[in-house]
């Protein structure tokens, strides 16, 4: 089996993979980074969202070998020690999660959005999250958390009709 190596959350990691091994499988099963979830295996739900070389990627749609030499960031890599990222803290503060299954993918998508659009509107957030499915929250508190993470006042934000 071929050996691959990548920088994951700032640390060089390597392992043997079959050609058909998906990045999400490599992260979870080989590296033990189980924060990236497998929700659908069809690129529909976004639970497996990670960043590869700074770009938002659904890890179930990419072979691990394609990430050989890349820089990968997972949900485990965005906090600074015990201090949550601004987005993680906003999800906690504004109840942007319920069961938590979609949360890592939602947070990784939000982190990506805020890098390119530091002050997104409610509609821009909803559009960006189009490829991420939450079966619990109705999205209102997720959107509210992302707006709060961007520094916007969310005190008067009401659920969309």
């Amino acid at each position: 089996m071929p050996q691959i190596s990548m920088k994951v959350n700032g640390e060089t990691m390597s392992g043997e993979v079959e050609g058909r091994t998906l990045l999400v499988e490599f992260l979870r099963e080989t590296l033990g980074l189980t924060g990236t979830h497998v929700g659908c295996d069809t690129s529909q739900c976004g639970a497996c969202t990670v960043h590869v070389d700074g770009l938002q990627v659904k890890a179930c749609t990419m072979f691990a070998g394609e990430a050989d030499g890349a820089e990968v960031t997972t949900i485990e890599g965005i906090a600074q020690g015990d201090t949550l990222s601004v987005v993680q803290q906003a999800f906690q503060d504004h109840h942007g999660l319920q069961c938590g299954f979609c949360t890592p993918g939602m947070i990784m998508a939000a982190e990506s959005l805020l890098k390119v659009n530091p002050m997104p509107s409610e509609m821009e957030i909803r559009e960006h999250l189009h490829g991420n499915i939450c079966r619990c929250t109705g999205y209102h508190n997720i959107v509210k958390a992302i707006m709060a993470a961007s520094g916007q006042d969310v005190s008067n934000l009401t659920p969309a009709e």
Side-chain angles (χ1 to χ4, degrees):
M1 282 192 283
Q3 179 90 5
I4 64 169
S5 179
M6 62 189 72
K7 190 173 272 192
V8 181
N9 301 328
E11 184 179 333
T12 301
M13 299 186 175
S14 59
E16 290 184 351
V17 295
E18 294 181 20
R20 63 185 175 164
T21 303
L22 297 173
L23 178 58
V24 69
E25 295 168 332
F26 182 72
L27 293 170
R28 290 180 60 81
E29 296 167 20
T30 303
L31 302 182
L33 297 170
T34 57
T36 302
H37 293 163
V38 179
C40 66
D41 278 332
T42 60
S43 185
Q44 300 294 313
C45 75
C48 65
T49 301
V50 298
H51 297 167
V52 178
D53 291 332
L55 299 175
Q56 180 179 325
V57 172
K58 292 180 180 178
C60 75
T61 64
M62 182 177 197
F63 291 116
E66 293 177 287
D68 189 23
E71 192 162 322
V72 178
T73 305
T74 69
I75 190 71
E76 291 93 344
I78 63 171
Q80 300 298 314
D82 290 337
T83 304
L84 298 177
S85 77
V86 171
V87 175
Q88 288 172 312
Q89 189 63 55
F91 266 67
Q92 181 176 326
D93 293 345
H94 296 280
H95 311 287
L97 58 105
Q98 282 184 13
C99 82
F101 194 81
C102 73
T103 304
M106 289 286 186
I107 289 173
M108 295 304 289
E111 294 271 354
S112 181
L113 172 61
L114 295 177
K115 282 182 188 172
V116 297
N117 185 353
M119 193 74 64
S121 69
E122 179 181 353
M123 290 312 299
E124 289 169 326
I125 293 168
R126 289 181 183 280
E127 179 63 31
H128 188 80
L129 295 179
H130 183 74
N132 292 72
I133 296 173
C134 175
R135 291 173 177 92
C136 299
T137 69
Y139 300 94
H140 176 69
N141 286 343
I142 292 170
V143 171
K144 188 176 182 179
I146 296 168
M147 290 183 81
S150 73
Q152 298 181 64
D153 178 16
V154 296
S155 60
N156 293 324
L157 188 65
T158 58
E161 299 281 323

